Amino acid sequence: MEKIPIRDIRTTSGQPFGRCSIRRLQDIFEGKDMLHALHRHNFFFILAVSQGEGVHEIDFTPYQVSDRSVFFLRPGQVHRLQLKMGSTGYLMEFDQEFCGSKDQATAQRLRKASGKNFCQLEASRFDKLDGILANIFEEYTSNQDGYLEVIKASLEILCIAYNRQSPDPGQLTNNGNLYTQERFEELLELLETRISELKNVSQYADLLNLSPYQLNAITKASVGKTVAQLIDEHIILEAKRYLLATPNQVKDIAWDLGYEDVSYFIRFFKKHTGLTPDAFRKNFR
């Protein structure tokens, strides 16, 4: 069973607690356009394009890359990137251990930021984010005493600034909604990491110390869907990832997703997509 390709973080020095890397886009091009084939990450990924153009496909949703584009991916997501040579900006990567914090507010900010894959910013707001990344790049390359602590603090500021990008960034969230949002994002995190082994609503409710009724109320308030619907969507998403990023046979993909009955998996996939797994692979590759 071939796994979806996972790219590693390129670091320039040993880092005792987790890994992180930041590069200027203009230093990455090798005399040609940047082409990253379909792959996934086990780390967080921030791409901030000051000037440039291309296409960035994240979990099969294509986004046009243009000036002042920011992309924030969480671990487990699949993407492919085409970026024109001459584009400028920053590419930052860091793993969970590097940014890991026991502080609930910090963890919440990171979950929220990585849940917003794409944001197109007006000039003043992009300049603020770009300035934070420039400071992180300077700390990373100078490698002076305490530079990792400065990067971690700057990363938290970056998440706060990015999370403010919304139709009404000044709007305040009341405590009830904040609790709902936190629990919903915790569920999404579990779905991303446990979907191959856990398929029942009660299993996720137990992990979150909630009743199925409470968890359903949270998902309906957040996105208007039941937990069962979200589970099905994540199963289909993971199946699509394997179908398009690997040459694995359908029976092997079904097995890896926890389905011993391949015929049932094929019916399940067709019910939700209108296509069999083989047809989906042929149509979208």
Side-chain angles (χ1 to χ4, degrees):
M1 177 73 177
E2 185 173 326
K3 296 296 184 182
I4 297 174
I6 298 178
R7 298 203 173 183
D8 202 8
I9 298 177
R10 299 179 183 179
T11 58
T12 58
S13 61
Q15 296 168 3
F17 304 107
R19 296 172 299 160
C20 92
S21 169
I22 184 169
R23 292 171 285 168
R24 297 187 304 181
L25 292 180
Q26 50 267 44
D27 297 333
I28 300 176
F29 295 102
E30 299 175 346
K32 57 183 179 181
D33 293 348
M34 183 190 301
L35 297 173
H36 287 180
L38 204 63
H39 64 282
R40 82 190 317 166
H41 295 157
N42 56 5
F43 51 83
F44 295 93
F45 172 104
I46 299 173
L47 172 66
V49 181
S50 301
Q51 293 182 312
E53 57 182 304
V55 178
H56 195 182
E57 183 180 311
I58 305 172
D59 277 332
F60 318 112
T61 299
Y63 301 95
Q64 288 298 317
V65 180
S66 58
D67 296 354
R68 304 188 304 278
S69 297
V70 182
F71 300 89
F72 204 135
L73 278 69
R74 59 187 178 275
Q77 291 193 281
V78 168
H79 77 136
R80 71 176 119 210
L81 174 64
Q82 300 175 23
L83 198 58
K84 290 288 186 182
M85 186 178 68
S87 298
T88 60
Y90 293 96
L91 174 60
M92 184 175 183
E93 303 163 334
F94 55 96
D95 62 17
Q96 184 70 53
E97 186 181 2
F98 178 81
C99 65
S101 172
K102 295 182 179 180
D103 181 72
Q104 187 175 0
T106 299
Q108 164 65 13
R109 291 187 191 106
L110 180 60
R111 279 198 300 269
K112 184 177 179 181
S114 60
K116 187 188 300 186
N117 288 152
F118 169 68
C119 203
Q120 186 79 43
L121 304 182
E122 61 182 42
S124 61
R125 290 181 177 174
F126 182 87
D127 289 345
K128 183 175 293 186
L129 290 179
D130 189 62
I132 298 170
L133 287 166
N135 182 63
I136 291 174
F137 179 77
E138 181 180 352
E139 289 290 334
Y140 184 79
T141 52
S142 65
N143 199 17
Q144 296 184 39
D145 181 48
Y147 79 103
L148 289 178
E149 286 72 18
V150 175
I151 290 175
K152 290 180 181 181
S154 299
L155 181 58
E156 184 164 359
I157 294 171
L158 179 72
C159 286
I160 293 172
Y162 185 69
N163 286 336
R164 288 175 176 173
Q165 310 313 313
S166 66
D168 183 8
Q171 184 178 4
L172 295 176
T173 307
N174 63 46
N175 291 334
N177 287 339
L178 179 59
Y179 172 81
T180 297
Q181 180 183 344
E182 288 175 353
R183 305 320 301 271
F184 178 70
E185 287 167 359
E186 288 172 3
L187 171 64
L188 294 184
E189 220 170 63
L190 287 172
L191 289 171
E192 194 67 60
T193 57
R194 306 290 297 275
I195 196 62
S196 294
E197 56 184 301
L198 304 179
K199 305 282 193 300
N200 296 324
V201 174
S202 60
Q203 293 172 310
Y204 290 98
D206 288 344
L207 288 173
L208 294 169
N209 294 316
L210 297 169
S211 70
Y213 175 83
Q214 290 172 317
L215 188 54
N216 268 308
I218 286 171
T219 60
K220 287 180 180 178
S222 300
V223 292
K225 297 177 181 178
T226 66
V227 184
Q229 287 175 309
L230 292 176
I231 290 172
D232 288 350
E233 287 178 1
H234 274 74
I235 294 170
I236 294 299
L237 175 58
E238 189 68 4
K240 288 179 177 179
R241 289 168 172 171
Y242 271 97
L243 286 166
L244 297 187
T246 76
N248 297 336
Q249 295 184 25
V250 172
K251 65 179 180 65
D252 295 323
I253 295 173
W255 179 267
D256 198 61
L257 289 174
Y259 292 94
E260 296 183 11
D261 187 340
V262 180
S263 297
Y264 174 82
F265 170 73
I266 293 173
R267 292 195 303 272
F268 175 82
F269 188 90
K270 187 174 182 179
K271 174 185 175 183
H272 289 276
T273 66
L275 298 169
T276 66
D278 280 330
F280 175 83
R281 175 177 266 165
K282 290 175 183 176
N283 284 1
F284 291 93
R285 254 190 171 166

